[in-house]
Amino acid sequence: MLCMLLHIRSPAGYNFLQSNQLLPLPCIRTIRRYLAVISGTCGFDKCFFELFKKHLSLKKDHQKHGLLIFDEISLRESVSVNSKTLSYTGLIDFGEEDEELKDLPKATNINSKATHGLVFMFQPLADSYTQPIAVFASKGPVNGLTLSKLIVKAVLLLERSGSWICI
């Protein structure tokens, strides 16, 4: 991922470092192939929380205490087609239908472009990592009612995984 960020920042600098063998950097096609394997869907991923539960089971009790951090950023409007799934990316997306979150906004057409991104992360108090747990795409800032529903859902999923969220 750092290689891709370096290439985005300065393609000429990346090519210089790679061609002069100053750093052992992979080919850009290799990086793109690896990134294409990663699922970039929005919402809460059930498989992630199962893996996170296994990760937390190896930690001591005091390392399971942490904070739920969330931040929202403004995004540039753009829509692209994912040729593998034959779907659009860049539209409003709050993830799959869920019992608790069934009334969240959905993209209904190509004009429902996302302008804001909301990210939820878990930060343990006695460990040195920050783990993103969910991403959402919305048109405009997420309203308070929707945000409160997402926070409650995030806390429930984290605590079912074995973490303790400090409030």
Side-chain angles (χ1 to χ4, degrees):
M1 185 60 115
L2 291 175
C3 295
M4 184 55 89
L5 293 174
L6 178 62
H7 184 267
I8 290 170
R9 177 76 174 142
S10 174
Y14 187 91
N15 292 335
F16 177 81
L17 292 172
Q18 186 183 32
S19 63
N20 292 318
Q21 298 179 353
L22 297 173
L23 287 174
L25 296 172
C27 176
I28 295 302
R29 284 177 297 180
T30 303
I31 297 170
R32 287 193 177 129
R33 255 194 331 247
Y34 284 141
L35 290 175
V37 174
I38 299 171
S39 172
T41 59
C42 292
F44 295 107
D45 185 8
K46 304 293 185 208
C47 296
F48 162 77
F49 285 101
E50 291 173 13
L51 292 172
F52 194 56
K53 185 174 187 174
K54 289 180 183 178
H55 169 75
L56 289 176
S57 69
L58 303 173
K59 300 288 184 181
K60 297 177 184 171
D61 281 346
H62 69 279
Q63 292 176 313
K64 296 178 183 180
H65 291 269
L67 302 171
L68 176 65
I69 302 169
F70 56 94
D71 192 16
E72 189 168 40
I73 61 169
S74 179
L75 302 173
R76 177 180 37 184
E77 287 185 27
S78 70
V79 176
S80 60
V81 177
N82 184 341
S83 60
K84 291 186 179 184
T85 61
L86 297 177
S87 62
Y88 293 110
T89 57
L91 302 177
I92 297 171
D93 191 357
F94 282 91
E96 295 180 7
E97 282 283 323
D98 199 346
E99 187 69 27
E100 298 91 9
L101 306 173
K102 61 184 171 201
D103 58 340
L104 294 181
K106 287 276 188 198
T108 55
N109 60 32
I110 193 75
N111 296 322
S112 301
K113 297 176 187 169
T115 60
H116 285 71
L118 177 65
V119 179
F120 283 91
M121 297 174 282
F122 175 72
Q123 170 69 58
L125 296 174
D127 220 336
S128 61
Y129 68 92
T130 302
Q131 178 63 55
I133 61 167
V135 177
F136 302 96
S138 66
K139 186 170 188 80
V142 176
N143 66 38
L145 183 60
T146 303
L147 183 60
S148 63
K149 289 178 182 181
L150 292 172
I151 290 172
V152 169
K153 180 72 175 177
V155 169
L156 286 173
L157 290 170
L158 283 170
E159 290 190 347
R160 286 181 192 154
S161 298
S163 65
W164 294 317
I165 304 301
C166 301
I167 298 175

